[in-house]
């Protein structure tokens, strides 16, 4: 929820008008493995899950630094299967992304593939 209240909150940006349409095309995916052996999450997690459609639980993956590569691969596979996109950006909960700058820079890149 902290990410949605800070750098992912479009209302917090002052000079967004030039990239409004680009921002609307961003799809956010929050990926979670389990934190317990039982795979259970706390009630706050389930409440947030009901409120947003951007959270994905990987039930057979235990959260640990060695599991990160599997979360990234799983998320990439899901993104490829469900979304049409030009770029994918992986961040973590301790990263802040300046989305207006990132979008502006990505728009300026050549579109050759």
């Amino acid at each position: 929820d902290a990410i949605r209240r800070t750098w992912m909150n479009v209302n917090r940006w002052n000079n967004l008008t030039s990239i409004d349409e680009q921002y609307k095309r961003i799809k956010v995916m929050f990926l979670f493995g389990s934190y317990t052996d039982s795979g259970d999450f706390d009630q706050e997690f389930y409440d947030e899950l009901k409120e947003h459609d951007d959270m994905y639980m990987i039930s057979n993956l235990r959260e640990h630094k060695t599991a990160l590569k599997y979360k990234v691969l799983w998320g990439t596979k899901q993104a490829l299967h469900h979304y049409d996109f030009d770029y994918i950006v992986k961040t973590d909960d301790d990263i802040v992304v300046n989305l207006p700058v990132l979008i502006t820079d990505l728009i300026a890149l050549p579109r050759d593939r």
Side-chain angles (χ1 to χ4, degrees), residues 89-108:
V89 177
K90 186 264 181 226
T91 67
D92 212 330
D93 61 348
D94 58 352
I95 302 294
V96 175
V97 178
N98 187 333
L99 282 177
V101 171
L102 177 62
I103 293 168
T104 302
D105 288 349
L106 290 175
I107 291 169

Side-chain angles (χ1 to χ4, degrees), residues 30-36 39-41 45 56-64 67 71:
F30 293 97
L31 307 178
F32 299 91
S34 66
Y35 288 97
T36 64
D40 290 337
F41 293 86
F45 179 88
Y56 300 86
M57 296 183 297
I58 309 170
S59 58
N60 60 345
L61 183 68
R62 176 82 187 248
E63 281 289 347
H64 188 269
K71 280 178 34 178

Side-chain angles (χ1 to χ4, degrees), residues 2-106:
I3 293 171
R4 288 189 194 90
R5 289 190 320 258
T6 57
W7 62 267
M8 273 305 302
N9 186 345
V10 68
N11 297 323
R12 295 178 56 92
W13 300 335
N14 297 327
N15 301 327
L16 190 62
T17 55
S18 63
I19 59 170
D20 257 342
E21 292 305 312
Q22 297 301 324
Y23 176 82
K24 291 175 186 174
R25 296 180 56 210
I26 293 174
K27 173 63 179 163
V28 177
M29 295 173 64
F30 293 97
L31 307 178
F32 299 91
S34 66
Y35 288 97
T36 64
D37 289 334
S38 67
D40 290 337
F41 293 86
D42 63 15
Q43 188 58 45
E44 184 179 341
F45 179 88
Y46 288 111
D47 292 345
E48 190 173 348
L49 183 63
K50 287 179 190 175
E51 187 177 343
H52 303 282
D53 67 345
D54 56 7
M55 297 171 62
Y56 300 86
M57 296 183 297
I58 309 170
S59 58
N60 60 345
L61 183 68
R62 176 82 187 248
E63 281 289 347
H64 188 269
K65 63 183 178 183
T66 59
L68 179 59
K69 61 187 169 196
Y70 301 110
K71 280 178 34 178
V72 172
L73 288 172
W74 188 91
T76 302
K77 182 179 176 182
Q78 295 302 309
L80 286 168
H81 183 71
H82 295 289
Y83 306 107
D84 179 31
F85 58 89
D86 294 319
Y87 304 100
I88 190 167
V89 177
K90 186 264 181 226
T91 67
D92 212 330
D93 61 348
D94 58 352
I95 302 294
V96 175
V97 178
N98 187 333
L99 282 177
V101 171
L102 177 62
I103 293 168
T104 302
D105 288 349
L106 290 175

